[in-house]
């Protein structure tokens, strides 16, 4: 019969094993590289901003650097905004202020924890496979701190795009749907022809072949040329010009 101390030790060991398995099953959270909110930060790419791919559980620090000798301090108010606000560089409607950079003598650090549920009523919550945006419409001066239009969002593309729980190598639906063929992309004309008798070795069993001719779009001269050329190229059994698809 096991003693009480042995039973307690056995339960403790089981609990430790379960806890270790839970930790192994949970993706390891990490502290992302801090972002210095400064016009000197080269990570804010022109026309794109800074794109990051945090996972649930990760943390991100946004830093308002202290003033440097010989260089004016940059004043900013940072907002969490909707996609259309980030695109328009506008924080006029329903602004969600995250942090204000207005203390030149101190470094201000604002930490974001990417969590699906926050114990704090005012805490930020994030969902996987969603995009979130941080930007500022201030212009860097004390007088322009409260600007709600334009600012460094527009002039320097100072914005952070946070693609939560997404793969940086994955092709997004936007990339598939918004990309358009160039104006030089070829249109296709499909011609159905009847092969000469006794020469149907490469076609279907009934001797029919299909020929595809590609020509540059927006070219009526090409269409006229191909239409006049087809009977000469396919003197036997040319039937019809089937379809022209526009770009």
């Amino acid at each position: 019969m096991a003693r009480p101390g042995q039973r307690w030790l056995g339960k403790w060991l089981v609990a430790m094993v379960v806890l270790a398995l839970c930790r192994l099953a949970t993706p390891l959270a990490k502290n992302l590289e801090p972002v210095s909110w400064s016009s000197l930060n080269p990570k804010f790419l022109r026309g794109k901003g800074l794109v990051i791919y945090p996972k649930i559980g990760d943390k991100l620090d946004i830093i308002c650097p202290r003033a440097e000798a010989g260089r004016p301090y940059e004043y900013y108010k940072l907002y969490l905004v909707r996609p259309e606000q980030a695109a328009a560089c506008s924080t006029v409607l329903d602004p969600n202020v995250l942090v204000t950079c207005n203390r030149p003598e101190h470094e201000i650090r604002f930490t974001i924890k990417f969590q699906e549920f926050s114990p704090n009523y005012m805490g930020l919550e994030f969902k996987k496979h969603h995009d979130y945006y941080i930007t500022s419409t201030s212009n860097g001066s004390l007088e322009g701190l409260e600007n709600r239009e334009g600012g460094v969002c527009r002039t320097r593309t100072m914005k952070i795009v946070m693609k939560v729980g997404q793969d940086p190598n994955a092709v997004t639906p936007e990339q598939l749907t918004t990309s358009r063929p160039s104006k030089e992309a070829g249109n296709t004309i499909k011609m159905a022809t009847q092969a000469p008798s006794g020469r149907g070795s490469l076609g279907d069993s009934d001797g029919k072949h299909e020929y595809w001719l590609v020509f540059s779009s927006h070219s009526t001269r090409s269409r006229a040329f191909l239409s006049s050329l087809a009977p000469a190229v396919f003197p036997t059994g040319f039937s019809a010009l089937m379809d022209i698809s526009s770009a």
Side-chain angles (χ1 to χ4, degrees):
M1 183 175 181
R3 296 178 182 179
Q6 292 176 332
R7 289 197 298 268
W8 179 87
L9 179 61
K11 291 180 180 179
W12 181 82
L13 289 174
V14 171
M16 291 298 101
V17 171
V18 172
L19 180 60
L21 292 175
C22 290
R23 288 183 175 178
L24 290 175
T26 303
L28 295 178
K30 61 181 179 180
N31 292 324
L32 304 176
E33 185 177 352
V35 177
S36 176
W37 198 268
S38 167
S39 61
L40 297 179
N41 189 345
K43 293 181 180 179
F44 292 114
L45 302 180
R46 180 72 65 178
K48 185 177 181 180
L50 171 61
V51 182
I52 62 175
Y53 295 84
K55 299 185 182 300
I56 295 298
D58 290 351
K59 292 182 179 180
L60 171 68
D61 285 341
I62 299 177
I63 300 172
C64 304
R66 63 168 56 93
E68 299 179 3
R71 188 173 182 277
Y73 181 77
E74 296 181 9
Y75 292 84
Y76 296 112
K77 185 169 284 190
L78 276 61
Y79 303 90
L80 182 67
V81 298
R82 296 188 294 271
E84 60 271 19
Q85 291 176 299
C89 289
S90 173
T91 56
V92 174
L93 299 177
D94 192 26
N96 186 352
V97 180
L98 297 180
V99 61
T100 301
C101 305
N102 60 352
R103 302 181 66 184
E105 68 280 7
H106 295 287
E107 178 185 275
I108 301 175
R109 185 178 293 257
F110 179 78
T111 300
I112 297 176
K113 182 176 181 180
F114 295 93
Q115 54 191 355
E116 293 181 292
F117 303 99
S118 172
N120 186 351
Y121 173 72
M122 299 297 292
L124 299 176
E125 296 180 345
F126 301 87
K127 295 181 180 180
K128 294 180 181 178
H129 309 298
H130 282 67
D131 295 347
Y132 298 86
Y133 302 82
I134 295 175
T135 192
S136 175
T137 48
S138 308
N139 62 13
S141 68
L142 180 59
E143 295 76 14
L145 179 63
E146 299 296 336
N147 284 357
R148 295 294 184 84
E149 297 279 355
V152 292
C153 171
R154 182 169 298 158
T155 60
R156 297 182 179 273
T157 323
M158 289 177 66
K159 60 180 74 174
I160 303 175
V161 183
M162 302 174 291
K163 295 182 171 292
V164 179
Q166 301 179 48
D167 182 0
N169 299 316
V171 178
T172 63
E174 289 80 4
Q175 289 175 301
L176 295 176
T177 57
T178 59
S179 59
R180 298 182 61 186
S182 66
K183 290 185 178 180
E184 297 303 321
N187 287 342
T188 302
I189 291 180
K190 183 177 181 181
M191 294 182 178
T193 68
Q194 180 69 39
S197 59
R199 298 184 182 181
S201 58
L202 297 180
D204 298 333
S205 59
D206 58 359
K208 290 184 178 180
H209 296 260
E210 287 186 348
Y211 296 87
W212 294 79
L213 299 183
V214 179
F215 61 98
S216 177
S217 61
H218 309 293
S219 175
T220 55
R221 184 176 298 177
S222 296
R223 296 174 186 173
F225 173 74
L226 288 172
S227 298
S228 61
L229 182 65
V233 176
F234 310 110
T236 305
F238 173 77
S239 59
L241 193 65
M242 295 296 294
D243 182 43
I244 300 178
S245 57
S246 59

